[in-house]
Amino acid sequence: MTRNRFTSARYGEVERRMAEALVDIEARSLDPAPVEDCDCKQGMFPGVSRRSLLAGGASLGGAMLASGARAQEAPPGANLNPVPEDPTRVQGRPVLSENGYGARSQFESEVRWRYPTATAQSSWSMTPLASGHGIVTPSGLHFERHHAGIPTIDPREHTLILHGMVDEPMRFTMDDLMRLPSVSRIHFIECSGNTLTEWEEPTLRTVQGTHGLTSTSEWTGVKLSTVLEMAGLQDSGTWILAEGADAAVMTRSIPVEKAMDDAILAYAQNGEALRPEQGYPLRLLLPGFEGNMQIKWLRRLEVSDMPFMTREETSKYTDLMPDGEARQFTFEMDAKSVITFPSGAMRLPRPGYYEITGLAWSGRGRVTKVEVSTDGGETWEEAALQEPVLDKCHTRFRLPWVWDGEPAVLQSRGTDETGYIQPTLEELVEVRGTDSVYHLNAIQSWGIDSDGEVTNVHA
């Protein structure tokens, strides 16, 4: 593992260990084998998604051969089946051969990789953004962050208590909540520590490493305002403590304004029940707010007239400013974007036509514009935004590009409906200083050399 990185004051001992370990796990996830040129896009991904690490840290170990030959063992989420020479001359597999719950193709092997903490219970996993299509993240690839492991909770026994500054304290079972009017909305979640390794120098090689702590899903549940109105929210109640049922008993203070606006008590994700790692059977969804606030395995809401000053909003998730004061309650995730193709550790096989694509998002509302530069920010061209373009949601952008074989530096710059424009790293540091690791939303640069190799650079 490379040492002596992350030396500025912004990296405390814990943050430094986290960043160094991320470098190590990414290096082990990349296939060092040489990659042959090919005409297909798959050939531009030298091991980024084909030889990723499993959540527990073990390699796929040759689950798929880079040449596309027959699989030797099935990757996670798939089953191994023989490949006929001519599929039109043999019967296919029977209906429901996957035991009633579908499996993905054995030729798809994208996985999250886990940050190698000392304990696997307090850790996180990264979404492989480069292999995504559209804007919705498959539930099985949605990033995770856990502080005390993933609890196993029987939904028949789980309840949500609502008390404090309300006229009538209430207890809801999951059946109670599911009988209430529901909503379904597509929103991103992003950890405020996303990209934390990139403040000082370009460090992680892939977009999964630099930006993999964000994902988008369709979330279904009950508006939080519905249950607050049922309980009789008192005028003096301005903050809500949200508490989880995991062993960490995760807690955060939520402003009532947000709770009454677009907060959701979510029990479903992408059309099915929440996965355990996403908070089954109930989680809090706060569109556009930092991920740590979106309490999973939600069991209690307490209304008060002041914030609760929990660990996660005092010693953690605050931003130390140049004058020595700390910004607290920096809830919204500012406008951010990243090019996912081409991106780090890929290789363009030859000069010619390519489509630059990526994701943009903002916790302040809709993305209204994404500009792309191929010359390190000297000139910009507006990219097309792919529908749907939704509030507080990943937005896919696309721009056709003809690479002439000369070195290039690709960047993207997002603007949201408030007029906020994604800053350069230099602009961000000028305002925020160098003493905080959270909320890095600066422009990301990918350098392309004359051989087509794509690397993470600062430009």
Side-chain angles (χ1 to χ4, degrees), residues 133-451:
H133 302 277
I135 59 174
V136 174
T137 307
S139 298
L141 295 177
H142 196 289
F143 87 90
E144 306 168 61
R145 176 68 171 104
H146 307 297
H147 295 259
I150 304 167
T152 300
I153 297 174
D154 186 338
R156 297 167 298 183
E157 303 296 328
H158 188 73
T159 61
L160 173 66
I161 297 172
L162 172 56
H163 66 119
M165 302 180 93
V166 294
D167 294 337
E168 182 182 357
M170 304 186 76
R171 182 191 299 267
F172 298 91
T173 66
M174 290 305 301
D175 284 341
D176 293 333
L177 293 172
M178 289 184 180
R179 282 196 292 267
L180 296 175
S182 66
V183 295
S184 290
R185 297 181 185 144
I186 302 176
H187 292 296
F188 80 88
I189 299 178
E190 182 182 17
C191 176
S192 61
N194 201 19
T195 323
L196 67 81
T197 57
E198 305 305 306
W199 282 101
E200 294 181 343
E201 59 182 310
T203 301
L204 293 175
R205 295 175 57 192
T206 68
V207 71
Q208 182 172 12
T210 60
H211 290 73
L213 289 175
T214 184
S215 304
T216 283
S217 289
E218 180 189 48
W219 307 97
T220 299
V222 180
K223 293 172 65 175
L224 178 50
S225 60
T226 298
V227 299
L228 290 173
E229 290 167 352
M230 291 174 62
L233 176 66
Q234 296 176 3
D235 292 341
S236 53
T238 55
W239 290 85
I240 301 173
L241 180 74
E243 179 182 272
D246 59 330
V249 192
M250 179 63 63
T251 51
R252 282 297 299 263
S253 299
I254 313 299
V256 162
E257 291 88 347
K258 183 65 172 179
M260 297 300 291
D261 180 20
D262 58 1
I264 299 173
L265 303 175
Y267 48 72
Q269 174 188 13
N270 294 337
E272 63 178 354
L274 291 170
R275 297 202 168 196
E277 65 267 25
Q278 296 302 327
Y280 182 86
L282 187 68
R283 76 172 297 164
L284 180 62
L285 187 78
L286 301 170
F289 276 24
E290 63 183 358
N292 180 262
M293 301 180 68
Q294 318 213 26
I295 302 299
K296 294 182 283 190
W297 315 292
L298 185 68
R299 70 174 184 179
R300 186 168 72 92
L301 297 167
E302 180 181 353
V303 182
S304 177
D305 58 358
M306 62 182 66
F308 290 78
M309 298 299 179
T310 72
R311 172 187 180 273
E312 302 299 314
E313 57 207 33
T314 52
S315 67
K316 304 296 181 184
Y317 297 96
T318 58
D319 304 296
L320 188 60
M321 301 296 285
D323 62 3
E325 293 189 1
R327 294 196 314 167
Q328 191 177 19
F329 303 132
T330 48
F331 300 141
E332 289 180 333
M333 302 304 293
D334 291 326
K336 191 170 181 177
S337 69
V338 66
I339 293 170
T340 57
F341 179 83
S343 59
M346 296 180 186
R347 180 184 177 189
L348 303 184
R350 59 184 56 85
Y353 172 84
Y354 296 93
E355 183 182 61
I356 297 171
T357 186
L359 297 169
W361 60 97
S362 174
R364 300 170 182 262
R366 284 177 173 81
V367 171
T368 57
K369 181 169 66 173
V370 177
E371 299 163 284
V372 170
S373 175
T374 59
D375 54 14
E378 294 294 323
T379 61
W380 296 89
E381 184 174 355
E382 188 167 346
L385 303 184
Q386 176 179 301
E387 295 290 341
V389 178
L390 303 174
D391 181 55
K392 305 179 184 75
C393 183
H394 282 168
T395 298
R396 173 71 60 178
F397 63 87
R398 300 183 181 279
L399 182 75
W401 177 53
V402 176
W403 179 47
D404 60 9
E406 295 297 317
V409 176
L410 306 187
Q411 298 177 330
S412 62
R413 179 172 69 186
T415 301
D416 66 28
E417 62 184 345
T418 70
Y420 179 96
I421 302 173
Q422 183 180 4
T424 65
L425 181 59
E426 183 180 6
E427 291 169 337
L428 193 63
V429 170
E430 184 177 354
V431 174
R432 295 265 305 280
T434 59
D435 294 332
S436 174
V437 298
Y438 300 112
H439 295 277
L440 174 53
N441 68 312
I443 291 170
Q444 169 69 38
S445 301
W446 302 115
I448 302 177
D449 67 19
S450 56
D451 291 329

